[in-house]
Amino acid sequence: MNTIHIRHLDKQDAQVISQAFQEQGWYKPSELYERYWEEQQQGARITLIAELDGQFAGYVNVIWTSDYPSFQEQGIPEISDFNVLMKFRRRGIGSRLMDHAETVAMERSDTAGLGVGIYADYGNAQVLYALRGYIPDGRGVYKSDHYLQPGEETVIDDDVVLYLTKKLGQAQNIKL
């Protein structure tokens, strides 16, 4: 039986994570995870690592003070940069990471927030978040530093985000 273990990021994880994503063709430099570790040490974030049978499988962050203005104003922690290696998907790892991230967020708020891209590469995440009870925050689509307005033209990229929230601790009638 496969064993999923969730733990906090350690300093020595940076190279392992970077290499794992490089093997699937994604560039995620080890410096990113070194910064995550430093911010975790400073109390700005918690980075959760998932391991499957002792092998790195994915991670997610809980950021205590979001860069997204609405979350910042309301004190809503942001679940961010959620990634499971492609070879480990569809094994419950993402759900376990999200369960833990929501538990961490509940330490400071009854609501968790997250942002999701709006094009097809984010389709699996969009479905997962909806099934977990996340709903749009009602403020529209946000890009970099502003809400997109009717008639405004933009390039659809990773910076175009729909932000969602969920009330934590409420029963969800879902099966993942």
Side-chain angles (χ1 to χ4, degrees), residues 68 78 114-118 122 137 140-144 146-148 157-164:
Y68 177 57
E78 182 180 346
L114 52 81
V116 66
I118 62 170
Y122 291 95
D137 72 352
V141 178
Y142 193 80
K143 181 167 186 173
S144 301
H146 70 286
Y147 294 97
L148 296 178
D157 58 17
D158 291 342
D159 294 330
V160 178
V161 177
L162 181 64
Y163 282 91
L164 313 171

Side-chain angles (χ1 to χ4, degrees), residues 4 12 14 40 46 54 80 84 88 100 103 119 132 139 142-143 145 153 167-168 170:
I4 300 170
Q12 64 269 19
Q40 181 175 266
I46 301 288
S80 173
V84 175
F88 292 126
H100 282 262
T103 298
Y119 60 91
R132 291 188 67 88
R139 297 177 184 261
Y142 193 80
K143 181 167 186 173
D145 62 356
E153 292 186 19
K167 285 288 185 192
L168 299 173
Q170 297 178 349

Side-chain angles (χ1 to χ4, degrees), residues 1-175:
M1 177 115 191
N2 293 334
T3 302
I4 300 170
H5 177 69
I6 310 293
R7 62 174 176 80
H8 287 194
L9 176 72
D10 288 327
K11 189 173 188 176
Q12 64 269 19
D13 290 326
Q15 190 57 45
V16 171
I17 297 169
S18 179
Q19 181 65 34
F21 282 104
Q22 186 174 7
E23 288 171 7
Q24 75 176 24
W26 295 8
Y27 177 67
K28 290 184 165 275
S30 61
E31 292 81 12
L32 174 66
Y33 305 105
E34 290 167 4
R35 180 173 57 85
Y36 286 178
W37 182 82
E38 289 171 10
E39 290 177 4
Q40 181 175 266
Q41 295 305 108
Q42 296 163 359
R45 78 171 61 230
I46 301 288
T47 301
L48 300 170
I49 301 296
E51 295 173 325
L52 182 65
D53 297 328
Q55 188 176 2
F56 171 76
Y59 71 93
V60 67
N61 290 285
V62 177
I63 300 170
W64 295 120
T65 304
S66 174
D67 288 335
Y68 177 57
S70 178
F71 291 174
Q72 197 174 80
E73 291 163 11
Q74 298 177 68
I76 297 174
E78 182 180 346
I79 296 173
S80 173
D81 198 14
F82 172 46
N83 284 283
V84 175
L85 291 172
M86 289 184 279
K87 67 184 179 181
F88 292 126
R89 291 184 181 168
R90 312 294 307 161
R91 299 187 194 187
I93 295 165
S95 291
R96 288 280 302 278
L97 276 168
M98 287 296 293
D99 289 346
H100 282 262
E102 289 171 359
T103 298
V104 167
M106 265 195 296
E107 294 173 11
R108 298 194 190 180
S109 178
D110 67 350
T111 303
L114 52 81
V116 66
I118 62 170
Y119 60 91
D121 286 3
Y122 291 95
N124 289 337
Q126 293 165 357
V127 171
L128 174 67
Y129 300 149
L131 289 172
R132 291 188 67 88
Y134 286 85
I135 60 170
D137 72 352
R139 297 177 184 261
V141 178
Y142 193 80
K143 181 167 186 173
S144 301
D145 62 356
H146 70 286
Y147 294 97
L148 296 178
Q149 299 300 312
E152 181 178 347
E153 292 186 19
T154 193
V155 173
I156 301 298
D157 58 17
D158 291 342
D159 294 330
V160 178
V161 177
L162 181 64
Y163 282 91
L164 313 171
T165 61
K166 175 183 175 179
K167 285 288 185 192
L168 299 173
Q170 297 178 349
Q172 302 292 317
N173 295 322
I174 57 170
K175 297 276 189 220

